[in-house]
């Protein structure tokens, strides 16, 4: 397991003792495979972040905790690691705790372990449920500031929320949907990954409000709990299409868009308008192929830079500032895609 890093650095990155790391590196046994995997992951993280490790400045060890599909967490990791050098002279080091789905109690357990081990800050994307809110309170009591990213926990003790105004994003989606559908008949399928994510709830309220006011005769058909995963999303969409032959358009708030389009194709149905969120690798490819009409996007690098700064402010390392302003909503079509969109080897 070759690497250029001191045991002390690896131990801190992994959140393990130096003795445990030493046993793993020297193959002495007596260590669970899951612990050995944590050491290997810590070395990989350090290798990606090595431009930061030797910078002179105050060091902040942050934990990034997210429940989201892999395509989104991959985009978050890449955006954060691209921003780390720009935070000089501060040094921000990151430990990642990603999962696609699972019980809220397990997520709260992850936050509690961080509180016991210690951290300079937690950047969190999680469902808005009591177990998570209580765990955030325990982190705050332990002196660990929490910044919510992409979806908020407004009743928690988090120090800031970083992301877009989701109600405005939903209203924007409704405006675009109405413009593109015009007077053509058809119902709209609205898709959320889970009813427990505050951002999707806000998007849906914004969308429904504008559609009800401007297009009261157009029915909205809701599906939920696909978790943004293709395997579960396909069945939900196919069942909705089978029940309602008038569905002609989709507003996807939570992902799984490849599966949604496959369900339309398998039933021989045409999707006239498809509005989605976030230029992850899947949506980038679909937009290039003209299979999505538009993607409502926000700059993840900007958001993660601001989240890190909020952690620094919580420790008094930066001057106080007012509440974080919502990130700008970018309306992206195939003709104005940002230059730094994810590379997809399958793209034309």
């Amino acid at each position: 397991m070759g690497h250029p890093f001191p045991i002390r650095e690896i131990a801190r990155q992994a959140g393990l003792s130096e003795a445990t790391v030493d046993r793993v590196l020297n193959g002495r046994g007596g260590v669970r495979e899951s612990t050995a995997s944590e050491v290997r992951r810590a070395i990989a993280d350090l290798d990606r972040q090595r431009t930061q490790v030797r910078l002179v400045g105050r060091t902040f060890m942050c934990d990034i905790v997210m429940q989201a599909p892999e395509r989104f967490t991959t985009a978050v990791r890449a955006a954060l690691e691209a921003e780390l050098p720009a935070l000089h002279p501060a040094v921000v080091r990151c430990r990642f705790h990603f999962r696609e789905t699972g019980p809220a109690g397990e997520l709260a357990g992850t936050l509690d372990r961080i509180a016991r081990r210690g951290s300079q800050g937690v950047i969190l994307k999680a469902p808005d449920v009591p177990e998570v809110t209580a765990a955030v309170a325990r982190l705050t009591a332990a002196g660990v500031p929490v910044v919510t990213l992409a979806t908020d926990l407004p009743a928690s003790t988090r120090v800031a929320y970083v992301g877009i105004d989701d109600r405005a994003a939903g209203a924007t989606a409704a405006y675009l949907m109405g413009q593109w559908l015009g007077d053509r008949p058809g119902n709209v399928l609205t898709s959320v990954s889970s009813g427990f994510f505050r951002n999707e709830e806000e998007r849906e309220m914004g969308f429904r409000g504008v559609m009800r006011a401007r297009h009261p005769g157009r029915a909205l058909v809701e599906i939920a709990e696909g978790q943004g995963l293709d395997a579960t999303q396909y069945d939900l969409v196919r069942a909705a299409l089978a029940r309602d032959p008038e569905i002609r358009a989709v507003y996807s708030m939570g992902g799984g868009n490849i599966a949604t389009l496959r369900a339309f194709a398998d039933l021989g149905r045409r999707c006239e308008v498809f509005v989605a969120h976030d230029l992850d690798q899947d949506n980038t490819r679909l937009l290039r192929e003209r299979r999505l009409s538009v993607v409502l996007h926000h700059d993840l690098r900007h958001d993660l830079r601001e989240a890190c700064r909020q952690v620094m402010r919580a420790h008094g390392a930066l001057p106080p500032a007012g509440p974080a302003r919502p990130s700008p909503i970018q309306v992206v079509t195939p003709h104005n895609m940002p230059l730094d969109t994810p590379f997809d080897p399958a793209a034309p």
Side-chain angles (χ1 to χ4, degrees):
M1 198 183 296
H3 61 86
F5 308 110
I7 287 177
R8 180 182 66 258
E9 294 284 354
I10 299 170
R12 187 178 185 196
Q13 181 72 25
L16 301 169
S17 70
E18 292 183 28
T20 298
V21 172
D22 183 69
R23 285 200 300 273
V24 172
L25 295 179
N26 291 286
R28 294 200 179 95
V31 180
R32 294 192 302 270
E33 175 56 30
S34 59
T35 301
S37 295
E38 290 180 22
V39 172
R40 291 192 290 269
R41 187 163 54 247
I43 292 172
D45 287 344
L46 283 172
D47 188 55
R48 279 191 301 271
Q49 301 171 34
R50 64 183 179 276
T51 56
Q52 283 274 293
V53 172
R54 305 207 195 302
L55 291 177
V56 177
R58 184 167 176 181
T59 299
F60 296 86
M61 176 63 79
C62 295
D63 290 88
I64 319 302
V65 183
M66 304 191 74
Q67 179 171 314
E70 184 180 2
R71 61 181 174 271
F72 186 74
T73 56
T74 297
V76 166
R77 182 196 287 266
L80 178 57
E81 291 179 344
E83 280 299 308
L84 293 183
L87 296 170
H88 180 73
V91 179
V92 177
R93 298 255 305 281
C94 302
R95 294 181 290 235
F96 298 95
H97 314 265
F98 294 158
R99 68 181 203 159
E100 291 195 308
T101 186
E106 291 181 5
L107 184 57
T110 297
L111 298 176
D112 286 337
R113 286 191 294 274
I114 293 169
R116 291 192 296 269
R117 183 185 59 203
S119 177
Q120 273 71 56
V122 169
I123 298 173
L124 177 64
K125 180 184 182 297
D128 186 8
V129 295
E131 298 95 322
V132 174
T133 298
V136 170
R138 292 190 289 272
L139 278 165
T140 301
V144 180
V146 176
V147 177
T148 52
L149 176 74
T151 184
D152 198 11
L153 303 173
S156 74
T157 55
R158 54 90 170 131
V159 298
Y161 161 68
V162 176
I164 62 174
D165 180 335
D166 285 291
R167 194 170 296 215
T172 301
Y175 172 81
L176 295 170
M177 184 71 70
Q179 292 293 308
W180 268 315
L181 282 177
D183 295 329
R184 287 178 291 173
N187 299 332
V188 179
L189 182 70
T190 65
S191 171
V192 299
S193 68
S194 171
F196 295 109
F197 283 103
R198 173 72 60 163
N199 65 330
E200 295 180 21
E201 179 184 19
E202 293 284 335
R203 290 171 187 176
E204 185 175 32
M205 287 190 289
F207 186 79
R208 285 185 177 277
V210 171
M211 292 295 290
R212 185 165 50 246
R214 297 177 64 91
H215 311 284
R218 201 177 293 281
L220 305 182
V221 181
E222 178 184 342
I223 60 171
E225 303 308 321
Q227 304 301 323
L229 304 177
D230 287 338
T232 48
Q233 183 75 2
Y234 177 84
D235 292 336
L236 290 170
V237 174
R238 184 164 180 140
L241 293 174
R243 290 192 303 268
D244 189 337
E246 300 304 316
I247 293 174
R248 296 285 187 273
V250 174
Y251 175 37
S252 171
M253 291 159 263
N257 299 327
I258 289 176
T260 296
L261 287 165
R262 180 159 54 88
F264 270 86
D266 287 352
L267 291 175
R269 301 272 288 276
R270 177 177 170 80
C271 183
E272 302 287 346
V273 182
F274 199 132
V275 181
H277 279 269
D278 300 320
L279 275 178
D280 55 35
Q281 183 167 297
D282 285 357
N283 285 345
T284 296
R285 177 164 66 88
L286 293 173
L287 193 59
R288 284 185 175 134
E289 294 172 351
R290 310 302 201 262
R291 299 172 69 193
L292 298 180
S293 307
V294 68
V295 171
L296 302 179
H297 182 60
H298 58 287
D299 186 347
L300 274 177
R301 290 184 59 169
H302 168 275
D303 288 357
L304 288 158
R305 181 168 64 249
E306 178 59 27
C308 291
R309 287 175 174 168
Q310 290 289 347
V311 170
M312 295 178 197
R313 289 189 185 102
H315 289 282
L318 289 177
R325 300 180 66 179
S327 303
I329 301 168
Q330 303 174 23
V331 178
V332 183
T333 73
H335 302 287
N336 69 330
M337 296 179 68
L339 295 177
D340 60 349
T341 49
F343 172 72
D344 181 354

